[in-house]
Amino acid sequence: MSDLDEEYQLEYFHDEGFVRKECPSCGAHFWTRDEDRELCGEPPCADYEFIGEPGFDEEFSLEEMREAFLSFFEEHGHERIDPYPVAANRWRDDVLLTQASIYDFQPLVTSGQTPPPANPLTVSQPCIRMQDIDNVGKTGRHTMAFEMMAHHAFNAREDLEDPDQYAYEGEVYWKDETVEYCDTLLDELGADIEDVTYIEDPWVGGGNAGPAIEVIYRGLELATLVFMCMEQDPEGDYELKDGNTYSFMDTYIVDTGYGLERWTWMSQGTPTVYEAVYPEMIDFLKDNAGLEYTEDELALVNRAARLSGQLDIDDVDDVEAARDNIAEKLDVSTSRLRELVEPLEDIYAIADHSRTLAYMFGDGIVPSNVGTGYLARMVLRRTKRLCDNVGVDAPLDELVDMQADRLDYQNRDTIRDIVRTEVEKYRETLERGGRQVERLASEYAEKGEPIPLEEVLELYDSQGIQPDMVEEIADDHGADVEIPDDFYSLVAARHGGEEAFEEEEAVAEQEDRIAELPDTEKLFYEDPERTEFEAVVLDVVECEDGEGYDVVLDQTMFYPEGGGQPADVGTLSSDDVTVEVTDVQEIDGVVLHRTDGDPGKGEFVRGQIDGTRRKRLMQHHTATHIIGHAAREVLGDHVRQAGAQKGTDSSRFDIRHYERISREEVKRIERVANEIVTDNLAVKQEWPHRQEAEEEHGFDLYQGGIPPGEQLRLIHVAEDVQACAGTHVTRTGDIGTIKILSTERVQDGVERLVFAAGDAAIEATQRTEDALYDAADTLDVSPQEVPDTAERFFTEWKERGKQIEDLKEQLAEVRAQGGGSEGEEVDLGDATAVIQRVDADMDELRATANALVEEGKVAVLGSGRDGATFVVAVPDDVDLNAGAVVSELAAKVGGGGGGPPDFAQGGGPETDKLDDALEEAPDVLRQLREA
């Protein structure tokens, strides 16, 4: 395998007098102007040298530093663009969160399929990196939420035979100019560029890779300059640090990342980045938690801050051993150091996590058990736990709102509602989960084994139980558990990992088969109401399973399945044969018609669509757009599609929402939707350039998925605009009416709306009315009186049920006191057992048994009402196992049973042996007592 050493031999380095060195501490290669320098300058090889001594001439706030950066690159020929959302799955289907500015342009721009919004460009992109969560607060420099200031240039090789194959061509600039820009910016801000080091560190991510340079100044990494010029390739010559092989691409991209927070911190020289980024919030949290330090304690904390870079879990094997080392350097005990710094670490993490949550909820992420929703919930619960640990009693929604206000989000009321709802859910989860942890701790304490990490991860995943809570409960029950330093990173990796693209073999073979065929002309976009057409059969392939044929036409009116819309069905007819079209699929622009016969390659055929089915599907598809728009109007802008399936009788539409949808909200959604229908608005389509569409309408275009290509088909329905490939009615009035049939929670954070449109809506309404009239006939009242009558009957039924329970308890007490049929009393020495047959249901048996136990007696009861059933109850002070008694008796009637020592039940099918079993019960009791 080849290496990338030659890629770092930049003319700029040689012209400027840099020398290349190898760090004796970590082994990294780096470039420096200082011939005497030995260490690379990055922690843990070096400490922060700018704390108390800022590295720039002037102090900048976040806003000022952002503007200084963007203005610098604008002055050097870059166009400033607006940042993208933090939820990368709004425009990509391969990742969840935006972790770098290059995510804005993968995979379509980096592959050359579409042009960038500008070239070159500069942006300050909000990002969230879940893998940094365990470092936040500890290292002084890590923030899970951050802004990546960046400049990008998109280049294509100039020696290409077909330069038009990519959406950009030629070289804008490359490595030398990129490093020079960084050097110049540092110099203009007053940095001592003699003290700057450039560390070689190849980069991989999202299927791409390339040489990269980390920019280190006074112990702090300020930027990473990535030269993305490679792509993952099983046959590639370069094996990189992720274990995959790579080869060079025709396109190559300047991908830089400058940490806004770190540049701001460098300009201020505060003890940690958090005081520079969240000064007001840090003060508020410290005051709220009652954290106070003497001058000597504060001096010690600040000295520790200079060394905190050594706590990076990515660089050290044992964080606590690293803390011991810091304590030794400061000449203080580790326990004293922890006492001083750990509350501050919690405060720093709370501020950072609150900002992360503001980004997430501000950009429309809804908490749930999957995807971005799961990650948001994980951060929120960790933040709440940190607040409880350090004694911050300010409501969490208030803390998140402080950050949302600073970030200028307009949906702050919704953000606070989401946080309050989630905090309440978390409380309920802790009550349930705490008992589960106690059982688990007891189980492993009895085994004498530590609780496995996988169990702790599953507890967090399924119950939201924080690891320190598991530690506390485990300690109380005498069980051991070891929580790794990167626990939350492990949790995040379970839910947010990036996966390489692997093409299924069957799909690849199918694509090869049709690779030589031209794209099918799609007539259904020109006239969606047309149901007949003529075409030429280009190819016919018998299916491998022998169950039909795939027919390719030069043009078609048949809609292929996609976007939640089923395929059209119908027929293809030639002069000699008519075949049924049962399914239609599209692969790489070629439409495949699945038929039950062979119409003949080269034949001229007439196609006939099932027009009634097509009309109903168009009505439901357009209604789906309208329902989504109405839901956002009623519930809030955070509502986004989580899935949809169109049908002919009804359709379902899943939305991301943090609460159950109330009946009143359903009616409001329905009213808004039908107002759009009755307005009879035109349903318009257009085919703009992707960049133009995204710039005008944002990423809410992609409610139903992310389509490929430079051109997008947009569907306009009232104010709703979406990228959509489906068939639609031409005017909203063609839908007729929309009726929401039901709502349900399909998973936490996802609500399902089931609805019908057009004739299907009328049919569904009539079915509901039929059910109402049937109920009215049964109750012998008018339909309008059914609700009140049903409520009255239900109330009376409940009251009678209570009366029956009361009578059962009274009867049980009478039996316990010797009333009713006599039971046999057996002297057990220190207790008396009552053995009795009571042919009653289980509730009555339990009540009788409990009444006997209250009298201080052992109850052994049998019933022949439904098979042979036994109930055994034992007072607390009697040494007898009820479960063992039931097990013995149930075996005598061909069954089984058991339970805890104080109460058990069981039985079997052989009712005729019940009396014999009860006669043997005294012997069973005595044998078990003696055992």
Side-chain angles (χ1 to χ4, degrees):
M1 286 291 171
S2 304
D3 58 44
L4 297 176
D5 285 355
E6 283 301 314
E7 294 295 320
Y8 296 101
Q9 297 294 329
L10 275 59
E11 288 185 17
Y12 182 78
F13 283 151
H14 295 294
D15 292 346
E16 288 291 313
F18 282 82
V19 291
R20 185 175 187 255
K21 295 200 168 192
E22 181 177 347
C23 179
S25 178
C26 67
H29 288 93
F30 65 96
W31 295 81
T32 175
R33 287 183 169 94
D34 182 359
E35 293 187 1
D36 296 327
R37 172 183 280 276
E38 293 184 0
L39 298 175
C40 65
E42 184 178 26
C45 302
D47 300 328
Y48 302 141
E49 299 173 5
F50 61 94
I51 293 176
E53 301 177 30
F56 299 151
D57 286 345
E58 296 180 28
E59 180 178 302
F60 290 81
S61 66
L62 272 180
E63 293 73 19
E64 291 167 343
M65 182 58 76
R66 181 192 302 117
E67 184 56 38
F69 177 89
L70 295 174
S71 295
F72 172 86
F73 281 98
E74 279 186 315
E75 292 165 4
H76 287 82
H78 294 68
E79 182 176 329
R80 183 188 306 205
I81 68 165
D82 292 333
Y84 286 36
V86 296
N89 59 353
R90 296 268 295 280
W91 71 92
R92 296 178 60 171
D93 55 13
D94 58 333
V95 292
L96 297 177
L97 295 171
T98 308
Q99 298 191 46
S101 58
I102 197 63
Y103 276 45
D104 301 352
F105 314 111
Q106 290 174 316
L108 296 177
V109 177
T110 55
S111 66
Q113 293 181 55
T114 63
N119 196 13
L121 61 82
T122 185
V123 65
S124 190
Q125 174 62 50
C127 299
I128 295 175
R129 286 190 178 170
M130 299 299 299
Q131 61 264 42
D132 288 337
I133 188 170
D134 295 289
N135 272 326
V136 173
K138 290 183 172 64
T139 65
R141 73 177 184 272
H142 278 93
T143 57
M144 184 164 48
F146 64 97
E147 280 189 49
M148 180 177 283
M149 304 185 298
H151 63 97
H152 296 280
F154 301 87
N155 310 294
R157 281 174 36 210
E158 296 180 339
D159 60 349
L160 297 174
E161 292 184 8
D162 178 15
D164 293 335
Q165 66 184 293
Y166 298 112
Y168 43 86
E169 58 182 277
E171 181 173 295
V172 181
Y173 63 82
W174 192 222
K175 291 182 287 189
D176 288 280
E177 295 91 333
T178 301
V179 176
E180 184 176 3
Y181 280 137
C182 185
D183 237 18
T184 304
L185 177 60
L186 285 165
D187 192 35
E188 288 189 8
L189 291 174
D192 179 2
I193 59 174
E194 293 286 330
D195 204 12
V196 177
T197 58
Y198 293 91
I199 300 177
E200 300 174 5
D201 185 20
W203 171 88
V204 295
N208 293 118
I213 295 172
E214 294 178 354
V215 183
I216 311 298
Y217 179 47
R218 296 192 174 175
L220 184 63
E221 180 185 346
L222 289 177
T224 302
L225 313 178
V226 176
F227 305 105
M228 184 193 297
C229 54
M230 311 175 81
E231 61 187 349
Q232 195 169 318
D233 178 4
E235 306 299 322
D237 293 329
Y238 298 87
E239 181 176 341
L240 299 185
K241 55 188 177 184
D242 64 347
N244 293 312
T245 55
Y246 291 81
S247 59
F248 282 93
M249 305 185 295
D250 290 341
T251 59
Y252 52 105
I253 295 100
V254 172
D255 169 24
T256 64
Y258 291 64
L260 170 61
E261 291 75 14
R262 296 187 183 184
W263 285 70
T264 303
W265 183 23
M266 178 63 69
S267 78
Q268 295 184 23
T270 53
T272 71
V273 69
Y274 315 107
E275 285 93 356
V277 177
Y278 321 113
E280 298 87 359
M281 191 167 194
I282 296 299
D283 288 342
F284 171 84
L285 290 170
K286 287 165 66 175
D287 182 63
N288 185 275
L291 292 188
E292 295 181 357
Y293 294 91
T294 65
E295 287 187 13
D296 289 344
E297 289 172 338
L298 196 58
L300 180 60
V301 167
N302 289 344
R303 287 168 56 209
R306 297 176 66 91
L307 306 174
S308 61
Q310 299 178 23
L311 299 176
D312 189 339
I313 62 171
D314 295 327
D315 296 329
V316 297
D317 295 329
D318 187 339
V319 170
E320 291 312 310
R323 200 186 293 275
D324 291 339
N325 185 48
I326 292 173
E328 184 178 346
K329 290 181 179 179
L330 297 174
D331 194 24
V332 65
S333 70
T334 302
S335 60
R336 177 57 175 161
L337 181 62
R338 290 170 64 106
E339 180 185 352
L340 291 173
V341 301
E342 286 191 343
L344 275 175
E345 291 173 353
D346 286 350
I347 292 292
Y348 296 149
I350 291 167
D352 170 80
H353 292 5
S354 296
R355 183 192 188 194
T356 302
L357 292 170
Y359 272 136
M360 286 178 153
F361 300 147
D363 276 353
I365 292 175
V366 174
S368 69
N369 287 329
V370 295
T372 54
Y374 178 89
L375 299 177
R377 174 167 288 166
M378 184 184 84
V379 176
L380 185 144
R381 291 180 172 181
R382 185 173 196 255
T383 310
K384 183 66 176 71
R385 185 70 171 173
L386 289 169
C387 287
D388 295 341
N389 283 350
V390 78
V392 170
D393 61 5
L396 186 54
D397 63 292
E398 179 181 326
L399 302 181
V400 176
D401 184 60
M402 290 170 66
Q403 295 285 17
D405 182 26
R406 191 179 65 79
L407 296 170
D408 200 29
Y409 280 113
Q410 302 304 304
N411 58 338
R412 288 168 55 198
D413 288 344
T414 298
I415 292 173
R416 295 193 73 158
D417 282 346
I418 291 174
V419 176
R420 283 192 291 263
T421 301
E422 275 298 301
V423 168
E424 184 57 36
K425 287 180 181 177
Y426 184 36
R427 287 197 188 99
E428 295 169 359
T429 296
L430 288 181
E431 291 176 6
R432 296 192 307 270
R435 294 188 291 272
Q436 185 173 341
V437 179
E438 289 175 356
R439 289 194 296 271
L440 190 70
S442 298
E443 175 189 339
Y444 280 94
E446 289 179 10
K447 294 179 181 178
E449 300 174 2
I451 300 175
L453 174 60
E454 192 59 34
E455 293 274 19
V456 185
L457 288 167
E458 186 58 34
L459 279 170
Y460 188 92
D461 253 1
S462 61
Q463 301 290 338
I465 303 300
Q466 303 288 335
D468 53 351
M469 180 179 177
V470 178
E471 284 183 307
E472 291 173 13
I473 295 175
D475 186 59
D476 291 341
H477 288 73
D480 294 326
V481 61
E482 188 170 331
I483 308 298
D485 297 322
D486 61 346
F487 176 83
Y488 287 96
S489 300
L490 295 174
V491 173
R494 279 182 154 202
H495 297 266
E498 295 181 26
E499 298 180 3
F501 302 88
E502 291 188 8
E503 195 172 35
E504 294 183 16
E505 185 176 345
V507 174
E509 290 177 0
Q510 203 170 23
E511 289 179 351
D512 290 341
R513 190 183 77 197
I514 63 174
E516 302 302 318
L517 295 172
D519 288 356
T520 308
E521 184 180 354
K522 299 169 184 174
L523 303 176
F524 47 78
Y525 287 146
E526 299 172 9
D527 185 1
E529 295 180 348
R530 180 177 157 199
T531 60
E532 297 181 357
F533 69 100
E534 296 176 336
V536 175
V537 178
L538 300 181
D539 199 5
V540 179
V541 180
E542 186 173 1
C543 299
E544 290 184 3
D545 57 8
E547 297 293 326
Y549 301 83
D550 281 336
V551 177
V552 180
L553 308 175
D554 64 333
Q555 60 182 11
T556 187
M557 279 297 302
F558 282 91
Y559 178 79
E561 181 182 8
Q565 180 174 330
D568 284 328
V569 298
T571 61
L572 294 175
S573 301
S574 67
D575 292 337
D576 301 322
V577 65
T578 295
V579 297
E580 295 286 335
V581 177
T582 58
D583 188 27
V584 187
Q585 300 292 327
E586 179 181 1
I587 298 178
D588 288 345
V590 177
V591 177
L592 305 176
H593 305 73
R594 178 62 56 89
T595 65
D596 63 352
D598 182 355
K601 183 175 180 179
E603 288 291 326
F604 183 81
V605 294
R606 294 176 299 280
Q608 175 67 56
I609 310 295
D610 182 335
T612 301
R613 174 185 170 86
R614 162 70 71 83
K615 179 182 177 182
R616 284 198 167 201
L617 288 172
M618 291 195 303
Q619 289 174 322
H620 279 92
H621 200 146
T622 308
T624 302
H625 287 227
I626 294 173
I627 286 281
H629 172 74
R632 283 188 290 277
E633 286 281 306
V634 173
L635 303 176
D637 290 338
H638 64 282
V639 168
R640 289 188 175 84
Q641 180 175 325
Q645 183 61 51
K646 293 82 178 177
T648 54
D649 295 324
S650 66
S651 294
R652 61 173 172 80
F653 183 62
D654 297 342
I655 61 171
R656 303 196 185 282
H657 185 51
Y658 55 92
E659 290 180 313
R660 292 304 319 272
I661 302 175
S662 69
R663 176 60 187 158
E664 184 56 39
E665 288 169 333
V666 168
K667 291 192 290 186
R668 287 166 57 198
I669 293 170
E670 205 172 69
R671 281 197 296 271
V672 172
N674 282 293
E675 285 172 4
I676 295 173
V677 172
T678 55
D679 286 345
N680 197 27
L681 304 172
V683 178
K684 303 174 183 176
Q685 65 174 333
E686 63 168 329
W687 298 82
H689 189 279
R690 175 183 291 272
Q691 298 291 355
E692 295 171 2
E694 290 178 351
E695 185 175 341
E696 182 176 358
H697 302 290
F699 298 108
D700 281 346
L701 286 174
Y702 305 131
Q703 293 285 331
I706 301 94
E710 278 192 51
Q711 305 297 125
L712 297 180
R713 179 179 184 247
L714 300 189
I715 297 297
H716 296 252
V717 186
E719 297 176 12
D720 182 81
V721 184
Q722 292 187 40
C724 179
T727 57
H728 293 271
V729 297
T730 54
R731 303 193 71 87
T732 59
D734 297 338
I735 296 173
T737 189
I738 296 173
K739 182 65 182 173
I740 298 177
L741 306 179
S742 65
T743 66
E744 62 175 307
R745 171 152 287 186
V746 292
Q747 67 183 55
D748 201 13
V750 177
E751 296 289 311
R752 172 167 293 169
L753 294 162
V754 179
F755 66 93
D759 292 343
I762 295 174
E763 293 166 3
T765 302
Q766 289 173 340
R767 287 194 298 272
T768 302
E769 288 179 343
D770 288 344
L772 176 61
Y773 276 93
D774 288 345
D777 288 343
T778 301
L779 298 172
D780 195 23
V781 296
S782 69
Q784 290 76 16
E785 294 175 307
V786 167
D788 290 341
T789 305
E791 184 177 3
R792 187 178 77 250
F793 279 10
F794 182 66
T795 301
E796 292 174 357
W797 174 77
K798 285 199 301 183
E799 289 175 351
R800 286 173 183 162
K802 290 179 181 177
Q803 291 174 354
I804 292 171
E805 290 301 315
D806 289 342
L807 289 172
K808 285 181 178 179
E809 290 182 8
Q810 292 174 26
L811 179 60
E813 291 176 5
V814 170
R815 285 200 178 104
Q817 295 167 6
S821 61
E822 290 296 325
E824 179 184 359
E825 291 197 357
V826 177
D827 185 4
L828 299 178
D830 59 346
T832 299
V834 175
I835 302 170
Q836 187 175 4
R837 175 166 178 162
V838 181
D839 288 327
D841 61 21
M842 184 56 69
D843 289 340
E844 193 172 339
L845 287 174
R846 287 196 194 97
T848 302
N850 289 334
L852 287 167
V853 167
E854 288 180 6
E855 295 287 326
K857 298 176 181 178
V858 175
V860 180
L861 306 178
S863 171
R865 173 170 289 191
D866 184 16
T869 304
F870 298 100
V871 167
V872 177
V874 179
D876 291 339
D877 58 351
V878 177
D879 184 17
L880 182 66
N881 190 311
V885 176
V886 165
S887 180
E888 290 283 341
L889 295 177
K892 297 178 185 300
V893 293
D902 60 338
F903 190 95
Q905 64 188 55
E910 300 173 9
T911 310
D912 57 330
K913 296 182 180 180
L914 173 63
D915 289 334
D916 292 340
L918 289 173
E919 285 181 10
E920 297 178 34
D923 293 336
V924 170
L925 294 175
R926 293 189 185 99
Q927 289 169 5
L928 290 172
R929 289 276 287 182
E930 291 171 1

